[in-house]
Amino acid sequence: IPAIDFSEFRKDFPVLHQEVNGKPLVYLDNAASSQMPESVAQRINDYHRNEHANVHRGIHTLSQKATDAFEETRKKVRDFINADSENEIVYTTGTTDSINLVANSYGLSVLKEGDEIILSEMEHHANIVPWQMIAERTGAVIKVIPVTDSGDLDMQAYESLLGERTKIVAVVHVSNALGTVNPVKEITALAHEHDAVVLIDGAQSVPHQPIDVQDIDCDFFAFSAHKMCGPTGFGILYGKMNLLEEMPPYRGGGDMIDKVSFEETTYNVPPFRFEAGTPPIAACIGLGSAIDYLNHIGMDRIANREQELVNHAVSELNKIEGLRFIGNSDRRASVCSFVIDGIHATDIGTILDKQGIAVRTGHHCAQPILRRYNVPSTARASISFYNNEDDIDRLIDGIRYAKSFFE
Ligand code: PMP
């Protein structure tokens, strides 16, 4: 891929060009939420100012215009993740909502007492709790793939967990707590040998690398707009059509029906069957615009640039005495999670913030994996393509300052 000057893209993000606590902002909390380029903010604003109307309901021109823009996003998402059809793209309010949909619709209709759901030890709570709730209702059992010291899935242990009773495997693509990139294609192939259905939590992979759901061959794939230069309150569930067609609705209301009477209601076809009520239209159109923006840079280029930045961060962080990575896989994307001897992660975060540097501290909604490493919290710097080497160097200086403060 031809090289490109990434400093140009930084100009597209107004939020990055401000001072925080008297210092130029360094934003390294992209795994929580990425920033929004001007073009996406403008597109959303445009919709509110000039095109706002409800979708799928009106014969009038404005409603049709809103519906066209709303449905256009479905095609953009289809192409972005290489789904077979736009009808396999279900609109949700985010990754959490997407996983709850699969757990409540597919999970509840398929799982019987003693059936098994396989998760991994590095899951976000969003890919644990919905399954626990469904397991409680159905009598299904949750099995957990352990994680190695380096932060990789123990694939041998995974194979030994798979069996006749395995019905669902739900695994994160890129861990938000460790940064590990999991071998989702291999995970899926192994699950399919046992006729289990696979859900991939793509919240942290979609923003950072090209995604091809047909190549992965997963059955479901979930992600959020706000981590990929889009707005909050919107997300996607990809599902293979043969599964979506068999799945009962999750929520009832307008738009998801075919015919309604008090005696009997029949349901709309996928994806509409799963989209009850007025959706977040502006956010949906915003995601379409975010995809245009990412495509204009190119996801291959983004992946390469972020790998350069992550490698720089890892090698500089490694030079800091007393710093220990939590998760140190060779296959890492975006996230550097670490602890420092003698300093609480919250203190690191607070001292960095005083210097205008935004990182996340805490358990990152992944308590089980932090427990695995015997730490209550970590500091997490997460990178996006609009970061640069200066941002990383400011982080390193900031950490050194925090250390000197405590020594
Ligand atoms: N899974 C992972 C791996 C995540 O990082 C996140 C967001 N932190 C989620 C799920 C939940 O995403 P959302 O809050 O957008 O629903």
Side-chain angles (χ1 to χ4, degrees):
I1 327 156
I4 198 166
D5 180 7
F6 270 82
S7 64
E8 285 302 310
F9 302 124
R10 195 172 171 99
K11 296 178 188 153
D12 296 334
F13 294 81
V15 74
L16 297 176
H17 307 285
Q18 64 174 298
E19 294 201 339
V20 168
N21 294 322
K23 303 275 168 56
L25 170 65
V26 171
Y27 187 76
L28 291 169
D29 193 18
N30 295 287
S33 260
S34 60
Q35 296 297 348
M36 186 184 281
E38 183 67 21
S39 58
V40 176
Q42 263 178 19
R43 181 66 192 92
I44 293 171
N45 196 20
D46 249 24
Y47 164 78
H48 282 307
R49 295 181 66 157
N50 304 312
E51 298 164 49
H52 175 63
N54 211 324
V55 291
H56 296 155
R57 287 177 172 82
I59 175 85
H60 63 82
T61 304
L62 213 51
S63 169
Q64 276 173 9
K65 237 176 133 174
T67 305
D68 288 348
F70 180 77
E71 286 304 323
E72 192 58 33
T73 293
R74 228 185 278 276
K75 300 193 180 100
K76 288 178 184 177
V77 173
R78 174 200 63 200
D79 294 344
F80 196 64
I81 63 170
N82 194 36
D84 187 39
S85 154
E86 69 260 34
N87 295 327
E88 296 179 321
I89 306 303
V90 181
Y91 291 158
T92 68
T93 64
T95 309
T96 303
D97 192 34
S98 298
I99 297 171
N100 275 280
L101 193 167
V102 177
N104 281 276
S105 170
Y106 184 82
L108 210 50
S109 62
V110 164
L111 292 168
K112 305 262 180 314
E113 190 166 351
D115 281 345
E116 292 170 4
I117 305 164
I118 297 183
L119 310 176
S120 89
E121 201 175 9
M122 66 170 86
E123 295 313 309
H124 188 281
H125 298 163
N127 200 27
I128 300 175
V129 184
W131 298 113
Q132 286 175 325
M133 292 164 75
I134 294 305
E136 210 166 281
R137 287 169 70 178
T138 56
V141 178
I142 290 173
K143 302 265 166 169
V144 182
I145 312 168
V147 168
T148 64
D149 288 342
S150 61
D152 292 292
L153 291 180
D154 181 340
M155 290 297 284
Q156 249 176 340
Y158 170 52
E159 281 192 59
S160 68
L161 288 178
L162 285 161
E164 233 169 68
R165 302 294 318 247
T166 312
K167 291 290 178 287
I168 296 168
V169 175
V171 172
V172 72
H173 194 173
V174 173
S175 159
N176 67 308
L178 310 176
T180 310
V181 185
N182 288 321
V184 287
K185 197 171 166 176
E186 193 184 341
I187 289 168
T188 304
L190 287 165
H192 285 171
E193 283 175 20
H194 296 266
D195 296 323
V197 157
V198 178
L199 176 143
I200 302 298
D201 171 354
Q204 298 292 349
S205 61
V206 176
H208 303 293
Q209 63 177 83
I211 296 292
D212 183 335
V213 289
Q214 293 190 78
D215 181 56
I216 298 169
D217 197 30
C218 56
D219 302 284
F220 300 105
F221 191 94
F223 57 102
S224 301
H226 69 96
K227 295 183 197 282
M228 53 188 290
C229 298
T232 52
F234 196 72
I236 299 293
L237 173 69
Y238 157 81
K240 282 184 182 165
M241 186 44 77
N242 63 322
L243 290 168
L244 292 179
E245 272 171 342
E246 296 298 316
M247 283 160 56
Y250 165 42
R251 295 194 183 103
D255 242 26
M256 52 73 73
I257 52 87
D258 173 30
K259 287 194 186 68
V260 178
S261 74
F262 283 107
E263 289 69 43
E264 190 196 22
T265 290
T266 54
Y267 303 122
N268 208 337
V269 291
F272 309 108
R273 182 188 300 166
F274 304 104
E275 298 175 4
T278 299
I281 303 164
C284 170
I285 293 170
L287 173 61
S289 175
I291 288 175
D292 291 342
Y293 183 81
L294 294 171
N295 279 338
H296 133 91
I297 303 175
M299 288 311 295
D300 281 316
R301 282 207 189 94
I302 286 176
N304 288 345
R305 173 60 179 150
E306 289 181 353
Q307 210 57 60
E308 277 176 16
L309 290 168
V310 169
N311 292 345
H312 178 59
V314 170
S315 88
E316 292 303 308
L317 287 166
N318 264 324
K319 293 178 190 159
I320 295 177
E321 217 181 301
L323 182 145
R324 177 162 62 95
F325 279 103
I326 300 300
N328 206 3
S329 172
D330 293 338
R331 303 188 311 171
R332 179 209 297 269
S334 173
V335 167
C336 294
S337 208
F338 56 86
V339 292
I340 298 176
D341 289 344
I343 317 181
H344 196 281
T346 315
D347 293 331
I348 299 172
T350 307
I351 294 170
L352 289 176
D353 182 55
K354 290 271 187 293
Q355 301 168 73
I357 304 162
V359 299
R360 177 80 171 254
T361 62
H363 55 61
H364 317 296
C365 298
Q367 287 178 6
I369 191 63
L370 292 207
R371 211 167 287 130
R372 154 75 175 80
Y373 290 100
N374 261 320
V375 290
S377 61
T378 76
R380 180 186 74 182
S382 54
I383 287 158
S384 177
F385 60 86
Y386 45 70
N387 289 120
N388 57 26
E389 279 77 4
D390 282 351
D391 289 341
I392 309 296
D393 297 342
R394 287 265 314 275
L395 170 73
I396 301 298
D397 289 346
I399 295 171
R400 288 194 192 284
Y401 175 73
K403 274 189 54 140
S404 69
F405 202 80
F406 276 89
E407 272 161 14

